[in-house]
Amino acid sequence: MILNNDKLYSQLNFVLNKIPFAVLMENYERRLEFVNQNFCQLFKIPLAPEQLIGFDCKIAAAQSAAMFSNPTQFLVRIEEILTAEEFVSHEIVELADGRSFLRDYLPIINEGVHNGHVWIYYDYTEARTMEYHILHLKKFYEQILNHIPADIAVFNKKHQYVFVNQTAVHDNNLREWLINKDDYEFAKERGKNISFADIRREAFNQAVSTQKVYEFLEEGINRDGHHKFNLRRFQPIFQENGELEFVVGYGIDVTSLKKTEEYARQKDIIFAKVADLLDVVVIVIDNNFQVVFANAAYESFFGIPTSQIIGKEIDAIAIEDTSIIRKDIAQYQQTQYAHHTAKVYQVKDKYGMIKYFSYSFTPYVQGKAGNINYAVFLSDVSDQYYAVAELQKIIDKERRLNELKSGFVNIVSHEMRTPMSVIQSSAEILEMLNDADKVTKPQLQLYLSRIINEVRGMESLMKELLLVSKIEGGKMEFKPSPQNMNEFIEQINSTNFSPYKDGRKIDVQFKGQEYPVSFDKLMMTHILKNLIENAFKYSSNKASPIIRISYHKSKVSILIKDFGIGIPDKDFPNLFKAFARASNVEGIKGTGLGLLVVKYFVDFHKASIHFRSKQNQGTSVLLELKNHDT
């Protein structure tokens, strides 16, 4: 395999499934080692990535060649790339359905040995279409710019006119006279107050000194004696050596926009007054994902002044995950369809209490200018949420109790029948041998051992049944306290598994700087003994299991790995169900209650447990406990 380090494989698997590219990795024999979900989606493969592992990529390529506009060339090119064993970047591949992909190829070479191949595909269809569209728009806009109805002027370094368009100055004679003149000379010629020339000169100097576009609003009187507003900009143009070449000035009449802004401002005042009367939290976001308004309910609930989020991006609002809001806004911007994703946010109010808010989203046109804003509504649904959650707990508990009852009946009627038969037959044989005065010490030891083993198995089953009953009945006390995890695990190992009954010893490894970990000793003992026992029990005649304790800043992880029979994929959904056992454990004793109790105790610690397994190759169990000091 290309990746044989579990941790590294897990990290790469996580990263490669998050990147927005289609990735396929094959070994040197062209057997598929890894493929991410994006690859399956891009090529419309109706299988999960893990189902494809091990496929012959050469056969798969031949079978999928018909998807491409030139199937033969597609297959020939793959062979050329593999033969060359050289990096390929952004090669265009055309599909029969009209789509275009960019393809990258990376040979995997380790210490001079070629171990495999990585193929990366990007959907280039939209980008290519956009390129054609941009070329068309370029020609279109070139025509418009030549006849644009805006004031356009070009100035030299001294702020003298070298060009002015007809929109800016209608009089041809005056336009010609302006060349090599400035606004002060223009004011003198026309008998105007030079204040407008002062403003323009200051703007010109600002643009040149900052080497950036400088924008300002110019107020004046039009020919009809009414107020008018021009939005003017100065754009400095510099040569490659950094020397100023000329400055482009342009202006647009924004009088109607100013009137619209005033109308919108009055409308927003009314909207804000109404929104402040609502109990619902209202947050208004503009097209740039910035907060432009938050009502009084926001400040009242979160205890945060609205001034702290106005003008900032939506990540500043008092909820952790704003990706859903971003996604809905982005989708509306692309499709003009106002759909919002169902979402309930868990947040803390100003008193630190956990509350639940339902989220809704509405786009609306702000004023006559046609700007789109987005109103986000957060409604407190904590009462409903807690009621539903409590009802679900009752339902789940009732369901588990019913499962336990039916499972107990099954255990009594089936699982206990075998040990009772063994006990009875062993006792009868001993009785017969004793009556005949023929019982020997080895025989006595054999049959007594059988009876004791079966009694212990029944005792273990009854203990686990009573433990589950105690947990379900709410009678289990959780008593965490800071402990030395290294010493704790060493104690469990030395007491119970050093060595195991078949002579093997578990390989214990410690990584990172240890620190005290808070846990319930009774529960953690049960968790670790069960998981380690399983690692030995289901890996008979295999290499010794491994337990690795790793200390991280925010958590402690405990990995227990064996090299045994593994767990079939179909059995994973039932791992933590009562009396459920894997389909490949025939002949290996077990109650089907061990992992159920483990899961209960893990949940008590608010920890997490993850299984990764491959049949006939082994199982890895990762237990993660939070470091509550971080």
Side-chain angles (χ1 to χ4, degrees):
M1 291 184 63
I2 297 171
L3 296 174
N4 53 17
N5 184 298
D6 284 334
K7 184 174 181 180
L8 177 59
Y9 181 86
S10 175
Q11 293 172 341
L12 286 176
N13 184 61
F14 174 81
V15 172
L16 292 176
N17 273 303
K18 291 295 182 181
I19 62 175
F21 313 127
V23 180
L24 180 144
M25 185 182 299
E26 57 188 18
N27 61 24
Y28 193 72
E29 290 75 29
R30 300 209 61 197
R31 290 288 179 179
L32 197 148
E33 292 272 356
F34 173 84
V35 64
N36 67 357
Q37 185 63 43
N38 284 333
F39 189 94
C40 295
Q41 292 175 349
L42 197 64
F43 286 97
K44 302 177 181 178
I45 300 174
L47 297 174
E50 56 267 20
Q51 295 177 283
L52 300 174
I53 303 304
F55 273 30
D56 188 318
C57 294
K58 188 171 184 179
I59 296 175
Q63 292 173 343
S64 62
M67 294 179 61
F68 298 85
S69 60
N70 190 332
T72 302
Q73 177 60 28
F74 166 73
L75 295 174
V76 169
R77 181 57 184 149
I78 285 180
E79 292 303 321
E80 290 176 351
I81 293 172
L82 293 175
T83 302
E85 296 186 355
E86 294 179 351
F87 175 72
V88 176
S89 175
H90 286 56
E91 182 176 78
I92 297 177
V93 181
E94 303 286 352
L95 272 70
D97 62 5
R99 291 184 293 165
S100 300
F101 291 171
L102 289 180
R103 175 172 62 197
D104 290 354
Y105 166 77
L106 296 87
I108 301 176
I109 300 175
N110 185 17
E111 296 182 353
V113 179
H114 194 158
N115 291 330
H117 321 279
V118 176
W119 302 89
I120 303 175
Y121 286 84
Y122 319 77
D123 193 339
Y124 184 56
T125 309
E126 290 187 9
R128 202 168 196 192
T129 302
M130 185 60 69
E131 285 180 2
Y132 293 138
H133 182 61
I134 289 172
L135 289 175
H136 173 75
L137 285 179
K138 183 176 181 292
K139 295 179 180 179
F140 175 71
Y141 283 118
E142 281 177 350
Q143 296 179 355
I144 293 178
L145 288 172
N146 288 329
H147 301 86
I148 191 168
D151 297 354
I152 304 293
V154 179
F155 301 92
N156 62 19
K157 300 176 184 179
K158 297 179 180 180
H159 193 197
Q160 294 170 327
Y161 289 91
V162 295
F163 169 80
V164 61
N165 73 345
Q166 192 170 6
T167 304
V169 177
H170 297 283
D171 188 321
N172 291 333
N173 294 328
L174 179 59
R175 193 164 63 253
E176 291 179 7
W177 177 86
L178 266 176
I179 303 303
N180 293 323
K181 308 288 192 312
D182 60 21
D183 288 313
Y184 290 101
E185 293 173 285
F186 175 69
K188 183 178 180 181
E189 174 70 16
R190 290 289 170 160
K192 293 177 175 290
N193 190 302
I194 65 170
S195 58
F196 82 94
D198 289 334
I199 294 172
R200 291 184 182 182
R201 177 60 58 84
E202 176 63 24
F204 179 91
N205 291 336
Q206 284 286 341
V208 173
S209 63
T210 61
Q211 299 187 8
K212 295 180 180 178
V213 174
Y214 187 83
E215 179 179 286
F216 63 102
L217 190 65
E218 188 175 76
E219 184 177 357
I221 304 295
N222 63 17
R223 295 175 183 176
D224 299 325
H226 298 118
H227 273 279
K228 69 172 183 179
F229 296 90
N230 281 322
L231 179 63
R232 297 200 178 278
R233 296 184 177 94
F234 282 126
Q235 168 75 61
I237 307 298
F238 292 88
Q239 298 176 0
E240 291 185 0
N241 61 7
E243 184 177 349
L244 179 66
E245 187 169 2
F246 54 84
V247 175
V248 177
Y250 50 99
I252 302 173
D253 188 341
V254 293
T255 306
S256 61
L257 291 178
K258 288 291 291 181
K259 292 180 179 178
T260 301
E261 285 180 4
E262 180 60 24
Y263 171 82
R265 191 179 70 84
Q266 294 296 330
K267 187 175 179 181
D268 284 345
I269 291 173
I270 296 173
F271 171 82
K273 289 181 178 178
V274 173
D276 282 340
L277 297 175
L278 299 176
D279 292 332
V280 175
V281 173
V282 182
I283 302 169
V284 179
I285 299 162
D286 66 14
N287 252 332
N288 297 317
F289 298 98
Q290 290 188 332
V291 178
V292 296
F293 171 79
N295 69 340
Y298 178 90
E299 184 169 338
S300 174
F301 183 83
F302 294 108
I304 301 173
T306 56
S307 59
Q308 292 188 13
I309 63 170
I310 302 299
K312 297 182 180 178
E313 289 203 7
I314 59 175
D315 295 331
I317 64 180
I319 57 176
E320 291 184 3
D321 182 13
T322 58
S323 61
I324 296 298
I325 303 174
R326 285 183 176 274
K327 177 182 175 183
D328 285 345
I329 292 176
Q331 183 177 359
Y332 179 81
Q333 289 173 340
Q334 294 176 3
T335 65
Q336 304 301 301
Y337 176 63
H339 168 78
H340 77 267
T341 308
K343 173 73 176 178
V344 174
Y345 282 108
Q346 177 180 305
V347 299
K348 287 185 179 180
D349 65 12
K350 60 185 177 183
Y351 303 110
M353 301 292 291
I354 297 295
K355 296 286 186 176
Y356 293 87
F357 275 79
S358 68
Y359 150 76
S360 59
F361 153 84
T362 301
Y364 70 92
V365 177
Q366 188 235 2
K368 292 183 179 179
N371 297 325
I372 301 297
N373 279 354
Y374 309 90
V376 172
F377 301 94
L378 300 173
S379 304
D380 190 349
V381 293
S382 301
D383 292 342
Q384 301 95 305
Y385 184 89
Y386 286 124
V388 171
E390 192 61 34
L391 179 60
Q392 188 61 49
K393 286 182 182 178
I394 294 172
I395 294 172
D396 289 344
K397 185 174 182 179
E398 186 66 25
R399 175 182 54 77
R400 289 196 301 270
L401 286 173
N402 287 333
E403 289 176 353
L404 286 171
K405 289 176 183 177
S406 60
F408 180 74
V409 171
N410 179 67
I411 285 289
V412 171
S413 60
H414 295 90
E415 300 298 329
M416 288 191 174
R417 183 177 300 171
T418 298
M420 290 299 293
S421 299
V422 172
I423 292 171
Q424 183 177 355
S425 64
S426 298
E428 288 175 350
I429 291 172
L430 281 176
E431 186 178 31
M432 290 170 57
L433 291 172
N434 185 58
D435 290 344
D437 200 22
K438 294 180 179 181
V439 62
T440 65
K441 188 173 183 179
Q443 289 175 325
L444 179 63
Q445 185 174 354
L446 171 66
Y447 291 112
L448 285 177
S449 177
R450 287 181 182 177
I451 292 171
I452 291 171
N453 286 338
E454 295 301 329
V455 169
R456 285 176 177 171
M458 293 173 66
E459 180 185 19
S460 175
L461 173 61
M462 294 307 298
K463 283 183 178 179
E464 288 192 329
L465 284 170
L466 290 172
L467 190 56
V468 171
S469 175
K470 188 175 182 180
I471 295 170
E472 287 289 350
K475 298 178 181 178
M476 195 76 190
E477 291 187 41
F478 179 56
K479 300 177 179 179
S481 60
Q483 306 286 337
N484 185 309
M485 179 62 81
N486 290 3
E487 292 181 0
F488 182 76
I489 290 177
E490 289 282 17
Q491 177 66 31
I492 290 177
N493 179 37
S494 62
T495 304
N496 303 277
F497 305 104
S498 188
Y500 190 61
K501 56 189 175 184
D502 61 5
R504 290 181 296 163
K505 293 184 179 181
I506 194 165
D507 180 12
V508 183
Q509 304 170 2
F510 299 99
K511 294 185 65 178
Q513 182 63 45
E514 66 174 297
Y515 51 77
V517 183
S518 182
F519 57 85
D520 183 296
K521 291 184 69 174
L522 177 64
M523 293 185 184
M524 190 57 63
T525 299
H526 190 96
I527 291 171
L528 294 176
K529 283 180 65 176
N530 182 277
L531 296 178
I532 297 173
E533 173 71 26
N534 286 349
F536 276 111
K537 185 165 64 174
Y538 297 114
S539 66
S540 181
N541 299 319
K542 300 291 183 180
S544 296
I546 296 170
I547 179 168
R548 183 182 301 125
I549 300 89
S550 302
Y551 291 87
H552 309 279
K553 182 177 180 181
S554 60
K555 65 184 178 181
V556 176
S557 60
I558 301 173
L559 176 70
I560 300 172
K561 178 179 177 62
D562 68 59
F563 306 93
I565 63 175
I567 304 170
D569 291 343
K570 66 178 181 179
D571 295 325
F572 266 84
N574 300 318
L575 274 181
F576 301 115
K577 290 185 178 179
F579 307 109
R581 302 191 71 206
S583 54
N584 62 337
V585 298
E586 185 176 355
I588 303 176
K589 289 187 177 182
T591 64
L593 290 173
L595 288 183
L596 174 67
V597 177
V598 166
K599 186 64 169 65
Y600 276 132
F601 288 167
V602 168
D603 289 345
F604 269 113
H605 287 82
K606 292 184 171 55
S608 63
I609 186 169
H610 308 279
F611 280 74
R612 179 186 294 168
S613 184
K614 195 166 186 179
Q615 200 165 354
N616 299 320
Q617 292 189 19
T619 300
S620 295
V621 185
L622 181 64
L623 176 66
E624 294 183 324
L625 292 91
K626 293 180 181 178
N627 177 10
H628 294 287
D629 290 336
T630 58

